[in-house]
Amino acid sequence: MYEDDEPQLFSERPEWKDVTPVYQYENVNPLAPILYSDEYKDATDYLRGVLKTGEKSERVLTLTESVIRLNPAHYTAWQCRYETLIAIGASLEAELRLMDPIAIKHLKNYQVWHHRRLLLTRLGPSAARPELSFLAKSLKVDTKNYHTWSYRQWLLAFFNDEDLWADELDFIEAMIVDDVRNNSAWHHRFFVVWASGVHEGENDRDRVLRREITFTKQNISLAPNNPSAWNYLRGMLEYNKIPFSNFRRFAEPYTQRSVAEDADVVDLENPPPTSQAQLPCPLAIEFLADIYEADGEIPKATELWKSLGDEHDTIRKRRYWEHRVREAAV
Amino acid sequence: MSFYTPVDGFPTSTSNTQRETENVLARHQPPTTPTPAAHNILHKQKHMQYLVRNLVQGFPERYQSQDASQPWLMFWTLQAFSILQVGLDPGNRQRAISTILAWQHPKGGFGGGPGQAAHLLTTYASVCALAIAGKPGPGGGWDEIDRKKLYEFYMSLKQPDGSFTVSHHAEVDVRGIYCLLVVATLLDIMTPELVAGTADFLRSCQTYEGGFASASQPYFGADGKLLSTRPPLGEAHGGYTFCALASWVLLRPYAEPNAPDINHKNLLRWLVQMQGGRSELGGFKGRTNKLVDGCYSWWVGGAFALFSALEPAAHLPNPHAPPQHHEDDPDTNANWDDVDEGLYDREALQEYVLWAGQHSSGGLRDKPPKGADAYHTQYVLAGLSSAQHRIVPDASRRAELEAAWADAPSEAQNTTEGPAWLDRLRPERKRVFIDALSWWEDKTAAKVLGGPGNTVNASHPLFDLTITHAEGIMGHFYGQTIPVKGA
């Protein structure tokens, strides 16, 4: 007799008596084998068994679920499960709900997310909105999860429905307010605002650009040594073919050793660093050097690159700064 | 300049985890300058024992989660041996070959284990493991690879935007493309048909930051043609950047003369930004504002060698360069100054590996206090190797390979009638072979922190195999005799 919480092996279940288990290595004494638990060995022996016969049935769903719970990276079990779901006409809605806790538990796994993608593709646009809410929840658990973010981006781009895009900016704003250094959220912003086309309400590109510039400058002023915000600024300017030199007045105070004391005139266009900012900010010096280089002021750019290499960014990228000096001199 | 990454009086969850990591790493910083010799030792013997334990006794139960990655466990272990300059005895070599062949799928390609579906990643790991352990002839593994079915498997995964799914009903990403292109290069099954549209797909994965994302999303017009809007899915990432860049380089023989390029300047900027500062012991991170991890020693550190294939001049010392000032840096050993430095700090990366990357009971790791594992042991060693050795496309090696090239296949070559890829006279075939094997070490630029006892073998920047292993398997499948260097 088994306790309720003790799983019964497939080899001991009467309803599996007709399936012949297939052992992994029949005629090979493998090098570097994995020392499996009995439970896992049993489940995968039966999985190989049904793969061999090509069975697609309700019990194959039970079996693949067992394998997946023991090892969510077993892509063959996922493949078999998906084909079975389709073949027997199982409810894909129910499948999605069954998968919710498994996805949250195994966020870093490729297959849990791809399985959802297959399901969503079949379920169609009506399933997409609840899926965005589920993703918002799982991004609270792991705010930089690569699979979750790229899946969210796929969902938006694939269905490309204006109702879905509508709330993305608010969602990103909340993520960036929560952690201004979350690069995944900044990338998502770039994806939504620039890379994925023009969405409803965003047709006035000048207005969008002004909004994004203001947003980025304010976030740089909160925490100037944040590469995510500077990279967004650079990316946005390059994408829109706007010269960095338009931002010289903004960048300069961040290249100084301390916050200017005569900052009695508030320049709303160019928010200054806070009193707690650790200056000078190497990212701002790099930005200013790029402005000088683009404007042909090579000696000034060289001076800044040398200050990065010799003082402000020594270990990190001295060879790179020397490379920039050499390249500009050619 | 603060020792720690600046927080600007504005802590967030990112800066908090960053600071915790910096505090742990600070405890691995040697106590005095210059560094006591005991801190700069690569514990080769311990790492060897760790690898032998896994190979012979098997992987403990926690590796059950990698049951679908058995070829990877094998490849990481064998390649770590190769980097540590150790080969297998004939008995274990034969066992390795039989084990790997048990993963070949009847319909082509290799799966994660016996009976598992074929997959691009496990096919790479299986074929590379065979490049190390296998040999020509019956039972040697190489001639048992069913290349015709493998090619059909590859074509069955091809998508309209030039990408490939990694397996049937599976995801698209640039890891899979890298794995496919390496195998197609090694086994002489590259064709224009196979790689049509793939370079454009890779280019669409470069993000505004300069690195590459996992994939991109295609949009199609009413006429079924791809639109120019192809947004990257996911942010710039070290692993994907390595795979995309290596794939881009592997596709050079098929590049159209005026095809659009990737953005070199942003790519280089992103790569150098991934190297952590002194508080991170010079290790690499894989994404902006994430933590350093030993495996990016290879994925990002190793990408610099690939970059040199895009811009052959970038790594060469410029005779017109202004004099370099290093007097303000008393810690720098004088003999580090007069050779080609490369584009990142190779000395600092070696420090990260030696000080923080080694586990005291053998094997290498992400960062302290984590344990060692098979994946990190191989990639941290590969990263260390790429920091020690400078492997570049070499003009004299290219000339030797050109001179030795034989258009007609050798008699030993299996010449089964078949599709286009068996056409031995197609012009790209020669270029694929020569481009891949003209990578050679510039010995004047080698740098080994901690002395010659720490030297490990060089790894081919495109394949992560030793040059000898790459030459062996390619010579076999292309029917070429590899010329002796400098003979």
Side-chain angles (χ1 to χ4, degrees):
Chain A
M1 289 295 287
Y2 287 91
E3 299 292 326
D4 281 348
D5 57 350
E6 196 168 336
Q8 197 183 359
L9 297 179
F10 286 91
S11 59
E12 293 165 344
R13 299 187 196 186
E15 72 272 25
W16 285 88
K17 267 185 105 162
D18 60 311
V19 173
T20 312
V22 175
Y23 303 116
Q24 184 164 230
Y25 290 99
E26 306 261 47
N27 305 307
V28 176
N29 174 17
L31 190 64
I34 298 170
L35 308 173
Y36 304 105
S37 67
D38 291 342
E39 190 189 1
Y40 185 78
K41 195 185 158 301
D42 167 72
T44 51
D45 286 346
Y46 278 81
L47 176 65
R48 279 183 290 271
V50 300
L51 285 169
K52 197 171 174 181
T53 59
E55 177 178 331
K56 304 271 186 291
S57 65
E58 195 66 41
R59 70 176 178 183
V60 171
L61 295 181
T62 311
L63 174 65
T64 50
E65 186 185 335
S66 288
V67 174
I68 285 162
R69 286 187 186 276
L70 292 166
N71 173 17
H74 202 305
Y75 62 87
T76 309
W78 285 102
Q79 231 171 57
C80 174
R81 183 174 184 83
Y82 176 68
E83 287 170 359
T84 304
L85 286 167
I86 302 306
I88 68 172
S91 158
L92 301 185
E93 302 264 7
E95 175 71 0
L96 201 57
R97 297 289 78 86
L98 176 70
M99 288 298 145
D100 285 351
I102 297 183
I104 297 278
K105 191 171 172 196
H106 302 286
L107 285 170
K108 290 192 196 309
N109 170 280
Y110 281 85
Q111 285 77 24
V112 295
W113 295 110
H114 188 70
H115 189 64
R116 299 188 81 89
R117 182 164 159 170
L118 293 174
L119 297 176
L120 262 288
T121 305
R122 293 231 171 210
L123 286 168
S126 63
R129 178 157 283 280
E131 191 66 351
L132 281 181
S133 316
F134 172 75
L135 288 174
K137 260 190 276 172
S138 73
L139 284 170
K140 280 210 173 82
V141 179
D142 183 355
T143 58
K144 299 181 180 181
N145 186 284
Y146 201 95
H147 304 304
T148 320
W149 280 107
S150 53
Y151 173 59
R152 189 177 184 98
Q153 286 150 21
W154 169 79
L155 191 76
L156 291 161
F158 180 78
F159 290 109
N160 202 17
D161 177 335
E162 291 310 337
D163 281 351
L164 292 179
W165 291 105
D167 297 332
E168 278 314 274
L169 277 181
D170 289 343
F171 169 71
I172 300 164
E173 187 114 9
M175 294 295 290
I176 292 181
V177 165
D178 186 48
D179 182 353
V180 71
R181 299 180 179 90
N182 184 346
N183 199 59
S184 306
W186 283 95
H187 175 269
H188 191 61
R189 191 171 186 99
F190 199 92
F191 171 84
V192 170
V193 177
W194 306 110
S196 59
V198 178
H199 307 298
E200 205 170 272
E202 300 271 291
N203 288 308
D204 183 348
R205 298 313 270 171
D206 289 340
R207 187 189 65 81
V208 168
L209 182 61
R210 280 196 304 277
R211 179 191 72 205
E212 293 304 299
I213 288 170
T214 305
F215 177 82
T216 310
K217 282 177 169 177
Q218 280 169 348
N219 278 297
I220 288 177
S221 83
L222 276 182
N225 287 284
N226 174 14
S228 296
W230 285 99
N231 288 358
Y232 186 83
L233 178 64
R234 288 169 162 272
M236 165 171 65
L237 299 181
E238 285 178 4
Y239 183 86
N240 289 287
K241 301 188 170 52
I242 293 170
F244 288 9
S245 55
N246 294 8
F247 293 78
R248 187 188 287 211
R249 276 192 58 185
F250 168 70
E252 269 170 348
Y254 294 85
T255 67
Q256 306 300 312
R257 283 182 192 271
S258 56
V259 181
E261 288 186 7
D262 60 342
D264 50 347
V265 184
V266 181
D267 181 353
L268 290 174
E269 291 278 306
N270 294 306
T274 65
S275 59
Q276 296 197 73
Q278 287 167 262
L279 300 180
C281 165
L283 292 157
I285 298 176
E286 178 195 22
F287 190 82
L288 190 58
D290 282 343
I291 293 174
Y292 286 139
E293 187 190 31
D295 291 352
E297 298 185 62
I298 304 302
K300 280 184 156 177
T302 301
E303 195 184 316
L304 291 182
W305 286 323
K306 286 189 168 168
S307 81
L308 287 167
D310 292 339
E311 190 181 355
H312 306 301
D313 197 24
T314 50
I315 303 293
R316 205 186 287 251
K317 287 162 287 245
R318 191 173 69 187
R319 281 144 195 92
Y320 174 66
W321 301 127
E322 288 169 354
H323 165 78
R324 293 297 300 272
V325 170
R326 280 199 303 273
E327 290 280 290
V330 171
Chain B
M1 193 176 66
S2 152
F3 173 78
Y4 289 108
T5 298
V7 178
D8 296 315
F10 195 84
T12 62
S13 111
T14 295
S15 64
N16 293 340
T17 6
Q18 174 68 20
R19 182 61 61 90
E20 284 163 28
T21 301
E22 288 173 341
N23 282 329
V24 172
L25 291 174
R27 295 200 285 277
H28 290 262
Q29 182 105 39
T32 52
T33 310
T35 306
H39 286 260
N40 282 346
I41 295 173
L42 177 66
H43 298 285
K44 288 184 177 176
Q45 205 56 42
K46 275 189 181 170
H47 303 322
M48 285 285 309
Q49 284 162 357
Y50 172 83
L51 293 164
V52 168
R53 212 157 52 229
N54 289 338
L55 198 70
V56 180
Q57 293 176 12
F59 287 91
E61 192 183 310
R62 67 172 182 281
Y63 280 88
Q64 195 165 279
S65 63
Q66 296 190 48
D67 183 38
S69 298
Q70 294 178 52
W72 284 109
L73 296 175
M74 177 74 84
F75 168 69
W76 294 327
T77 305
L78 297 186
Q79 179 57 7
F81 275 125
S82 303
I83 295 174
L84 289 172
Q85 305 170 305
V86 176
L88 281 186
D89 62 276
N92 278 317
R93 209 173 144 176
Q94 200 56 52
R95 265 177 80 198
I97 294 167
S98 317
T99 309
I100 298 163
L101 289 176
W103 304 326
Q104 187 163 215
H105 194 276
K107 291 187 181 158
F110 291 76
Q116 295 187 30
H119 192 289
L120 293 181
L121 273 63
T122 47
T123 299
Y124 162 92
S126 299
V127 169
C128 287
L130 281 176
I132 300 168
K135 52 185 184 285
W142 290 359
D143 295 324
E144 280 87 355
I145 301 172
D146 191 330
R147 292 188 298 157
K148 188 166 181 294
K149 284 190 180 154
L150 175 58
Y151 185 82
E152 286 161 7
F153 168 62
Y154 281 172
M155 285 306 294
S156 75
L157 302 175
K158 181 125 197 195
Q159 302 300 306
D161 64 350
S163 67
F164 295 83
T165 60
V166 296
S167 183
H168 294 130
H169 305 305
E171 71 276 7
V172 162
D173 73 37
V174 295
R175 297 172 316 158
I177 293 176
Y178 166 71
C179 289
L180 177 149
L181 293 175
V182 166
V183 170
T185 300
L186 293 176
L187 301 186
D188 189 17
I189 58 172
M190 283 272 251
T191 67
E193 166 197 52
L194 181 66
V195 302
T198 306
D200 279 342
F201 175 80
L202 293 166
R203 198 165 50 81
S204 72
C205 297
Q206 187 171 26
T207 82
Y208 67 94
E209 292 195 276
F212 288 74
S214 64
S216 68
Q217 179 65 21
Y219 287 91
F220 297 94
D223 57 356
K225 285 204 173 124
L226 260 179
L227 303 181
S228 62
T229 300
R230 301 174 79 169
L233 300 174
E235 73 203 272
H237 181 286
Y240 297 124
T241 299
F242 178 93
C243 290
L245 178 56
S247 299
W248 184 260
V249 173
L250 286 165
L251 286 175
R252 289 301 79 202
Y254 293 90
E256 304 281 344
N258 295 312
D261 205 348
I262 54 175
N263 185 326
H264 295 198
K265 197 171 180 174
N266 284 356
L267 171 60
L268 178 61
R269 176 179 183 272
W270 183 83
L271 289 172
V272 299
Q273 291 282 354
M274 288 302 106
Q275 187 164 28
R278 184 42 60 202
S279 62
E280 292 154 297
L281 306 182
F284 277 98
K285 53 191 80 185
R287 298 189 242 164
T288 302
N289 274 333
K290 290 272 283 176
L291 303 172
V292 290
D293 176 339
C295 74
Y296 295 115
S297 310
W298 172 255
W299 299 124
V300 183
F304 285 92
L306 301 172
F307 190 81
S308 71
L310 301 181
E311 299 202 340
H315 68 281
L316 296 175
N318 181 344
H320 307 295
Q324 308 295 309
H325 300 289
H326 292 262
E327 311 89 75
D328 56 338
D329 188 356
D331 299 345
T332 305
N333 190 329
N335 66 14
W336 284 73
D337 286 347
D338 50 7
V339 293
D340 172 15
E341 293 288 349
L343 291 167
Y344 73 101
D345 194 328
R346 295 162 65 192
E347 183 181 13
L349 179 60
Q350 293 184 46
E351 288 174 348
Y352 181 86
V353 172
L354 297 180
W355 300 348
Q358 306 187 86
H359 194 275
S360 56
S361 45
L364 294 99
R365 63 182 170 191
D366 164 354
K367 64 173 92 48
K370 297 196 176 182
D373 59 62
Y375 165 87
H376 282 92
T377 298
Q378 196 285 132
Y379 286 113
V380 176
L381 284 173
L384 176 68
S385 162
S386 77
Q388 290 183 350
H389 303 282
R390 202 150 172 68
I391 316 292
V392 291
D394 180 289
S396 71
R397 185 60 180 158
R398 173 174 289 277
E400 287 173 347
L401 292 163
E402 292 264 6
W405 175 264
D407 263 329
S410 72
E411 288 301 310
Q413 194 62 22
N414 174 4
T415 51
T416 321
E417 297 297 312
W421 59 271
L422 282 172
D423 171 14
R424 294 255 166 265
L425 297 176
R426 61 183 199 275
E428 315 89 45
R429 199 178 149 251
K430 176 178 174 186
R431 170 113 196 255
V432 169
F433 178 83
I434 291 175
D435 276 10
L437 292 183
S438 60
W439 291 81
W440 207 260
E441 178 163 17
D442 172 5
K443 287 230 158 99
T444 65
K447 293 182 172 204
V448 180
L449 181 69
N454 283 352
T455 304
V456 295
N457 263 337
S459 205
H460 191 298
L462 285 168
F463 304 136
D464 192 16
L465 290 169
T466 63
I467 304 235
T468 312
H469 288 144
E471 285 180 343
I473 194 165
M474 285 187 75
H476 176 70
F477 282 106
Y478 288 74
Q480 301 294 317
T481 307
I482 306 289
V484 176
K485 171 75 171 158

